[in-house]
Amino acid sequence: MTDMQKIAADVRALMTTDKSGHGFDHVERVCRLAQKLAMVEKADEQTVTLAALLHDCDDYKLVGEEAAAKMTNARRIMAANGVAEERQQEVLEIIASMGYSKCMRGIRPRTLAGKIVSDADMLDAMGACGIVRCLQFALDRCNKFGAPVFDAATLPDPDMSVEEYKKPNRKNDNFINHFFEKLLKLHHLLLTPAAREEGEKRHRLMVAFLRGFFAEQELDDWLAYLENFLREEDARAAGNAADGRQSA
Ligand code: ADP
Ligand code: NI
């Protein structure tokens, strides 16, 4: 076994029990996507692979806020497998700079390798795999709290604060609302050109799914809500891009 295979085995051992869309299958898909992006962008494959393998093993939802901030599992696994100190620091910096809730706080990856792993992680929350993971998460919540998968009377809250977003049992949280609260915003948060291209495909697939879901049930107010949301998100992203150009 190579060192990378040993690290993968250690991560797998940590993540096999998860049923909320955070299992090792997610890590494997993120690794593959990140390696593809690294080839296109000519980034360091070792750093990208390591960060992709280790990016969720200290997630706050799995280990709590304190252990997440310390990145205990990532440090332990890298040290146990002889990863050079400099590379360890690079990987820890990447992990500390990615994730949607950190992005809500304005924390974004700085290095090319970090941008690639963040993009791969976000891409796996989108498209067909993203829909399945979101449903897995919602069903897990349903088992724990009896929360519904969809409630036509409960509108999403796309502008909520990061503190609200991180509450484990928010009142309007459900499978469908999560698209408006996170998944439909991700395509504007991708940082590398190849990921943006793939992200647009995955975004369109999620939009088609939601249009079908609402149309089949003749939920005209939800159809209108979706179209309005998409228009506003695009206008907001165009505004942000223009602001970026002005301040550059
Ligand atoms: P990632 O590992 O991609 O950074 P998260 O850690 O935020 O994503 O969540 C893991 C998976 O569960 C993702 O696919 C995400 O969209 C989904 N998820 C997170 N929060 C919710 C929620 N409140 N309702 C439904 N799905 C969710
Ligand atoms: Ni992830």
Side-chain angles (χ1 to χ4, degrees), residues 82-103:
V83 176
E85 182 60 32
E86 201 179 321
R87 203 187 293 278
Q88 285 194 31
Q89 289 312 318
E90 245 180 291
V91 168
L92 292 171
E93 188 203 309
I94 292 174
I95 299 173
S97 71
M98 56 185 283
Y100 185 67
S101 59
K102 284 180 216 141
C103 180

Side-chain angles (χ1 to χ4, degrees), residues 22 26 56 59 61 121 133-134 137 173 178 182-183:
H22 258 115
H26 162 62
D56 265 341
D59 189 284
K61 294 188 260 6
D121 189 35
R133 290 179 70 212
C134 186
F137 189 101
D173 189 9
H178 190 63
K182 172 181 167 189
L183 306 185

Side-chain angles (χ1 to χ4, degrees), residues 37 46 54-55 57 107 127 149 153 164 194 202 225 236 238 244:
L37 296 173
Q46 288 256 328
L54 295 166
H55 85 276
C57 64
I107 300 168
V149 163
E164 188 64 22
R202 295 187 185 209
Y225 182 89
R236 198 188 325 226

Side-chain angles (χ1 to χ4, degrees), residues 19-60:
K19 294 198 177 43
S20 64
H22 258 115
F24 193 68
D25 59 320
H26 162 62
V27 172
E28 281 181 311
R29 287 190 303 270
V30 172
C31 254
R32 224 172 299 132
L33 270 170
Q35 284 170 342
K36 262 204 233 171
L37 296 173
M39 284 240 282
V40 179
E41 300 287 338
K42 303 193 177 20
D44 186 301
E45 202 207 318
Q46 288 256 328
T47 301
V48 163
T49 304
L50 261 178
L53 276 174
L54 295 166
H55 85 276
D56 265 341
C57 64
D58 294 290
D59 189 284
Y60 72 94

Side-chain angles (χ1 to χ4, degrees), residues 19 21 36 77 79 105 118 121 130 134 146 154 175 177-178 181 215 235:
K19 294 198 177 43
K36 262 204 233 171
I77 293 173
R105 295 198 164 102
S118 168
D121 189 35
C134 186
T154 306
F175 169 57
N177 285 2
H178 190 63
E181 290 164 353

Side-chain angles (χ1 to χ4, degrees), residues 164-201:
E164 188 64 22
Y165 177 83
K166 289 176 92 168
K167 283 187 189 157
N169 189 22
R170 274 185 282 117
K171 62 177 179 340
N172 31 8
D173 189 9
N174 66 47
F175 169 57
I176 293 296
N177 285 2
H178 190 63
F179 286 84
F180 298 95
E181 290 164 353
K182 172 181 167 189
L183 306 185
L184 294 176
K185 301 179 182 189
L186 293 176
H187 66 146
H188 292 311
L189 301 175
L190 299 170
L191 299 167
T192 61
R196 283 204 193 113
E197 197 182 322
E198 177 62 22
E200 286 312 313
K201 288 189 208 155

Side-chain angles (χ1 to χ4, degrees), residues 138-139 141-150 169-170 173-174:
L139 292 176
R141 256 185 93 253
C142 189
N143 289 334
K144 281 187 193 138
F145 305 116
V149 163
F150 173 60
N169 189 22
R170 274 185 282 117
D173 189 9
N174 66 47

